[in-house]
């Protein structure tokens, strides 16, 4: 009889873990985000470029921004960076800007050699060694990528690495650019 009593708390714990996992791993769809959250503009997020000049997401207003928060010491971040560079080449235009924002404490000293090593050609270097953007945007893990509308509002979030090279990913981004639909985006997969 004691064995059965242990099953109840373990089962409840498993159910709670499953519910939390579904909540954490489910990327928000614009329709599922409460209106109060959708109204929050990220345009004021500030950081610097490789030359140390202050910049904010407001400078990209009028085109969609794919903000990727990453670091050179983050293995999944390093792995997805070449694909982000290719995505900017494939989909990038006056309509969309991939902003790879490094939170490395040493800033450009860490990022430039890494970009040179992997031959990044299409991405600019953006830096936030203070990690202020992480707090302001609610980023809790790396890499995290935010799809930000032309108006500066987050419409989709990926937590964890994404296979940016997959045709379905580029097609989903193109669909969003055409009609604002996030229906083709898939939640991140857990390995």
């Amino acid at each position: 009889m004691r064995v059965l009593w242990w099953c109840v708390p373990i089962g409840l714990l498993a159910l709670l873990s499953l519910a939390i996992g579904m909540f954490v791993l489910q990327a928000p769809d614009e329709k599922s985000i409460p209106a109060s959250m959708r109204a929050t503009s990220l345009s004021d997020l500030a950081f610097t470029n490789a030359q140390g000049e202050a910049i904010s997401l407001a400078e990209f207003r009028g085109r969609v921004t794919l903000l990727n928060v990453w670091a050179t010491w983050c293995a999944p971040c390093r792995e997805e960076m070449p694909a982000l560079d290719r995505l900017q080449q494939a989909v990038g235009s006056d309509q969309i800007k991939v902003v790879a924002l490094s939170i490395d404490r040493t800033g450009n000293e860490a990022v430039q050699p890494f970009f040179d090593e992997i031959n990044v050609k299409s991405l600019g270097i953006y830096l936030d060694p203070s990690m202020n953007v992480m707090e302001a945007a609610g980023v809790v893990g790396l890499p995290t990528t935010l799809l930000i509308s032309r108006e500066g509002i987050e419409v989709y979030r990926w937590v964890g690495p994404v296979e940016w090279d997959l045709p379905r990913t580029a097609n989903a981004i193109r669909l969003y650019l055409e009609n604002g639909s996030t229906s083709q985006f898939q939640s991140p997969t857990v390995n």
Side-chain angles (χ1 to χ4, degrees), residues 21-28 66-69 74 76-77 80 134 137-147 154 156-164 185-191:
M22 288 176 62
F23 175 76
V24 169
L25 292 178
Q26 185 174 22
L66 195 65
L67 175 67
N68 177 268
V69 182
C74 164
C77 301
E80 77 173 355
M134 286 187 71
V139 173
V140 294
L142 297 180
T144 294
T145 306
L146 311 178
L147 181 66
E154 178 183 339
Y156 202 82
R157 177 179 293 226
W158 293 266
V159 178
V162 175
E163 295 181 87
W164 299 107
F185 294 125
Q186 296 186 0
S187 297
T189 55
V190 177
N191 295 331

Side-chain angles (χ1 to χ4, degrees), residues 29-178:
D29 183 314
E30 191 167 10
K31 294 175 186 166
S32 69
I33 301 172
S36 61
M37 288 179 68
R38 283 197 310 262
T40 304
S41 174
L42 296 175
S43 295
D44 294 335
L45 291 180
F47 41 92
T48 63
N49 61 20
Q51 292 75 40
E53 301 165 336
I55 191 169
S56 73
L57 285 180
E59 296 196 30
F60 306 115
R61 199 160 220 184
R63 60 182 161 168
V64 173
T65 304
L66 195 65
L67 175 67
N68 177 268
V69 182
W70 73 287
T72 59
W73 45 262
C74 164
C77 301
R78 292 176 67 95
E79 188 176 313
E80 77 173 355
M81 197 55 57
L84 267 173
D85 187 52
R86 290 188 293 272
L87 177 71
Q88 178 66 58
Q89 290 172 8
V91 180
S93 68
D94 290 342
Q95 295 182 48
I96 190 168
K97 175 70 174 172
V98 177
V99 176
L101 180 64
S102 167
I103 61 162
D104 282 277
R105 293 227 182 253
T106 58
N108 198 31
E109 194 176 302
V111 177
Q112 187 64 61
F114 174 65
F115 272 21
D116 291 344
E117 173 188 327
I118 63 169
N119 203 28
V120 167
K121 297 288 186 204
S122 299
L123 298 177
I125 293 178
Y126 300 100
L127 309 163
D128 182 25
S130 65
M131 296 187 224
N132 290 331
V133 169
M134 286 187 71
E135 183 179 343
V139 173
V140 294
L142 297 180
T144 294
T145 306
L146 311 178
L147 181 66
I148 302 168
S149 72
R150 288 173 176 86
E151 295 76 33
I153 298 168
E154 178 183 339
V155 294
Y156 202 82
R157 177 179 293 226
W158 293 266
V159 178
V162 175
E163 295 181 87
W164 299 107
D165 276 349
L166 293 179
R168 71 172 184 230
T169 305
N171 290 337
I173 290 173
R174 284 186 185 102
L175 181 66
Y176 175 75
L177 290 171
E178 289 172 14

